[in-house]
Amino acid sequence: MPEPTDTTTGRYLVLIDEGSAAAGARELSSVAGIRTASTLEGATAESLGTVDGVIYSNLGVAVVNAQPDQVNALAAAVEAPGPIALVEPERVVQALAAPAQENVTAAVDESVFTWGLQAVGANISTATGKGVRLAVLDTGFTVNHPDFAGRTVLTQSFIAGETVDDAHGHGTHCIGSAAGPRKPASGGPGYGVAYEADIYAGKVLSNAGFGSDGGILAGIDWALNNGCAVISMSLGSAVRPGTPYSQVYETVGRRALSKGTLIIAAAGNESRRPDKIAPVGHPANCPSILAVGAIDDQRAVAFFSCGTVDTVGQVDVVAPGVNVYSSWNGKSGDSLHKRIQGTSMATPHVAGVAALMAQQHNARGWELWARLMQSARRLGVPATDAGAGLVQAP
Amino acid sequence: MVPVAVTVADGIAPSTVVPALERAGMAVDRVLDALGVVTGTVPAEGVFALREVPGVVHVERQRQVGLPGV
């Protein structure tokens, strides 16, 4: 067995096709002579002392001890038809302690602007997003929200049997962060980054919060046809480590960039720091889709924020995603606004900043991507968690 | 039936590939011209045949996508 390094354990991970754990065990034995035990039969990581490998049936992953010739045999099995989909060295995943907060500053004053607007410098930028079209693909929009009276809002539902009206609330919250007001008609702090952008609200998730690739791709197509410079997607599905990104979304991301549209997506909320760092989900894990992680008002990475686990599928930037105040789908009073958390909330902050840059520099596509990365404020946390850092308004 | 998303090659209008996709067994739902993508459904055993259609680059099964949970 190879020696462990700082980043690998010396063992290997074998990804087995979904639902093929038993066939995978047979294949490991026949092609490489690796004897495995299954967690379904009570095996644990400690079983590696008595067998060559342990199969985590629910994950479709085996952890195996393998000599170099066995690794070669497994690599050949990946190329050939059969249940073995991928072989890779097992990594050491570093548990990250929250950054030290020796001098915890007082809670941010949110009497005028949310902490999120202040953290990205939107409140001190002269840009407004005026003339820039910004699409938010989510659960829809509360069309009659008083804070958006007089704004240009175009809507389209891609969910059969549901109007664009946001019975969930999530979409209205995201639109608020990206493009809501600085002086809300219903009172409270200003919460919108690109407060004069034209809003394109595409409903690609149902009122229950679910959708499929078909509706999302249709929403992206709609945004491109309408000349949107920015698409904000606070949606996704969790992936296992080592899962290849979608070739379809990657192609779509590249084509969108070449047509002057930047797609920004939430990295995902599956981490449980410091114990577990989950990989960036689909479709944010595509290289040509900008993946956004979340930080709190002390600039610490949020406990749930997905991180860079695989060689592709990185976090590109971070933005405010904890205790985020924005619009909600209620009809009056307290239900017009809500505080929630998630990389879903960080994503529209980045989309709003991108819209400000699109206005300020007349930047589109790859140039917009580059300007976001160039100007992001570097944080004292690993690039695998924060990418280039905290986005900053122009 | 399996929901799928199909990308066509750069420079090819997706609508021109639709007849061949339909002959290969796909029920087309949407033709996304700006993206060069066609979505729809196909019998599970027909996915491979779609990959053989001239002009097609990728065929993927559509995923369920939702709000990231916290």
Side-chain angles (χ1 to χ4, degrees), chain A residues 158 168 170 205 209 211-214 216-218 221 225 234-237 246-248 255 259 269 272 282 341 344, chain B residues 5-10 30-37 39 57-70:
Chain A
F158 300 92
H168 187 286
H170 188 271
L205 302 177
S212 68
D213 285 333
I216 292 159
L217 292 167
D221 192 69
N225 284 326
S234 294
L235 51 80
S237 56
S246 162
Q247 295 287 343
V248 169
R255 287 176 179 171
K259 291 172 190 255
N269 301 335
R272 289 297 176 265
H282 163 80
Q341 66 182 5
S344 283
Chain B
V6 175
T7 56
V8 301
D10 286 328
R30 292 185 175 104
V31 180
L32 307 174
D33 287 313
L35 305 182
V37 170
T39 60
V57 183
H58 305 293
V59 179
E60 281 180 16
R61 184 186 281 248
Q62 290 186 34
R63 300 160 192 76
Q64 292 300 308
V65 180
L67 302 175
V70 172

Side-chain angles (χ1 to χ4, degrees), chain A residues 6 10 52 80 130 132 152 159 181 191 224 310 353 373:
Chain A
D6 285 348
D52 304 321
K130 192 175 181 64
V132 177
T152 302
I159 300 294
Y191 54 83
L224 258 68
D310 298 318
V353 168
M373 306 297 279

Side-chain angles (χ1 to χ4, degrees), chain A residues 191-217:
Chain A
Y191 54 83
V193 175
Y195 62 100
E196 291 190 330
D198 295 338
I199 299 165
Y200 284 72
K203 182 170 189 144
V204 301
L205 302 177
S206 69
N207 289 326
F210 295 104
S212 68
D213 285 333
I216 292 159
L217 292 167

Side-chain angles (χ1 to χ4, degrees), chain A residues 35-258:
Chain A
R35 295 171 301 113
T36 56
S38 168
T39 51
L40 287 183
E41 298 150 2
T44 66
E46 284 70 43
S47 306
L48 282 169
T50 54
V51 293
D52 304 321
V54 171
I55 295 187
Y56 295 88
S57 301
N58 291 328
L59 303 180
V61 173
V63 181
V64 303
N65 294 317
Q67 301 297 331
D69 58 324
Q70 292 174 304
V71 174
N72 290 339
L74 290 173
V78 170
E79 298 302 320
I84 296 180
L86 195 80
V87 178
E88 61 185 20
E90 183 186 38
R91 297 170 184 80
V92 175
V93 179
Q94 187 90 39
L96 295 168
Q101 294 179 12
E102 289 158 18
N103 300 308
V104 176
T105 55
V108 179
D109 178 0
E110 290 195 306
S111 57
V112 181
F113 298 116
T114 58
W115 79 264
L117 291 195
Q118 297 173 61
V120 302
N123 57 318
I124 55 171
S125 172
T126 57
T128 66
K130 192 175 181 64
V132 177
R133 296 178 175 185
L134 186 162
V136 178
L137 304 181
D138 210 283
T139 58
F141 182 57
T142 305
V143 179
N144 294 322
H145 198 292
D147 289 359
F148 293 83
R151 293 290 300 280
T152 302
V153 183
L154 281 89
T155 64
Q156 178 82 44
S157 176
F158 300 92
I159 300 294
E162 294 188 13
T163 69
V164 77
D165 187 58
D166 179 16
H168 187 286
H170 188 271
T172 301
H173 200 277
C174 291
I175 288 170
S177 295
R182 293 290 176 84
K183 291 179 180 166
S186 59
Y191 54 83
V193 175
Y195 62 100
E196 291 190 330
D198 295 338
I199 299 165
Y200 284 72
K203 182 170 189 144
V204 301
L205 302 177
S206 69
N207 289 326
F210 295 104
S212 68
D213 285 333
I216 292 159
L217 292 167
I220 295 172
D221 192 69
W222 171 73
L224 258 68
N225 284 326
N226 281 287
C228 293
V230 183
I231 299 176
S232 185
M233 301 200 309
S234 294
L235 51 80
S237 56
V239 302
R240 295 182 202 145
T243 307
Y245 58 81
S246 162
Q247 295 287 343
V248 169
Y249 275 78
E250 173 58 14
T251 303
V252 163
R254 271 192 279 111
R255 287 176 179 171
L257 284 166
S258 72

